[in-house]
Amino acid sequence: MRFEAPLQLRDQAAIGDQRQEVRGHRLAGVARAAIQVAQNAGLRIQRQAVPRVDPPGFRTEHREQAEAFYAVHSERSFYGDLCEYMSSSPVVAQVLEGENAVALHREIMGATNPANAADGTIRKQFGLNVQENSVHGSDSPENAAQEIRFFFGDMDIVG
């Protein structure tokens, strides 16, 4: 059975006033490495989106998107910090395809806390701490379908 899993990658180096060229370069490196890990695990990238950065309003627009995406956590103590972090620089959103893609992707992401993540996982390589762990992945096929619609709308996802 085929499952799809959305993937969000964050540029850990893109905090504060760093110039866009630096952010874009770092994000590209994280994305390339994560793509390689996913492909080595047998997952295929079906769709990818890299939002453009339009300076005025960028932070506000992306903060609103982060708040909508993580609304399920709105009552949790970390919600505000999570939304601030996720809107501090661009993300790469991907749809991954493969047998048991959600479970497999969670395995290659690694533990939420990068300090506890296995060697070779995305979070071990790029995560800074529990909150700034570089990657988000769906926890179920049902949530994957919802999260894919969030980033890609109702368009058909094709390979």
Side-chain angles (χ1 to χ4, degrees):
M1 179 173 210
R2 185 187 104 178
F3 289 104
E4 298 167 351
L7 164 70
Q8 277 184 278
L9 299 170
R10 275 293 278 101
D11 172 7
Q12 300 295 347
I15 306 300
D17 296 306
Q18 293 184 4
R19 296 183 340 191
Q20 181 56 35
E21 297 83 34
V22 174
R23 288 198 299 227
H25 176 71
R26 171 79 173 140
L27 182 59
V30 173
R32 273 194 302 275
I35 289 166
Q36 190 63 53
V37 169
Q39 289 176 335
N40 288 346
L43 296 172
R44 187 174 70 87
I45 297 168
Q46 243 191 356
R47 189 92 173 139
Q48 179 169 291
V50 181
R52 264 190 29 218
V53 177
D54 296 320
F58 164 75
R59 300 237 335 141
T60 301
E61 177 185 332
H62 289 283
R63 174 64 188 234
E64 290 168 0
Q65 288 178 319
E67 288 172 352
F69 187 79
Y70 290 107
V72 67
H73 299 300
S74 64
E75 301 300 317
R76 310 282 297 270
S77 62
F78 59 81
Y79 175 72
D81 289 339
L82 175 62
C83 292
E84 178 62 26
Y85 168 66
M86 288 305 296
S87 61
S88 65
S89 70
V91 299
V92 174
Q94 296 175 332
V95 178
L96 303 174
E97 177 186 47
E99 288 294 319
N100 299 312
V102 171
L104 183 55
H105 183 248
R106 293 194 67 76
E107 184 179 318
I108 65 173
M109 282 191 315
T112 302
N113 184 343
N116 300 332
D119 288 340
T121 61
I122 297 167
R123 288 178 172 154
K124 186 67 163 191
Q125 292 179 60
F126 300 105
L128 300 179
N129 54 51
V130 172
Q131 182 174 312
E132 299 173 295
N133 61 31
S134 78
V135 64
H136 167 85
S138 303
D139 60 0
S140 68
E142 296 77 20
N143 283 341
Q146 180 180 352
E147 292 174 354
I148 289 167
R149 278 192 307 278
F150 182 89
F151 283 105
F152 298 100
D154 290 328
M155 71 170 61
D156 291 334
I157 305 295
V158 295

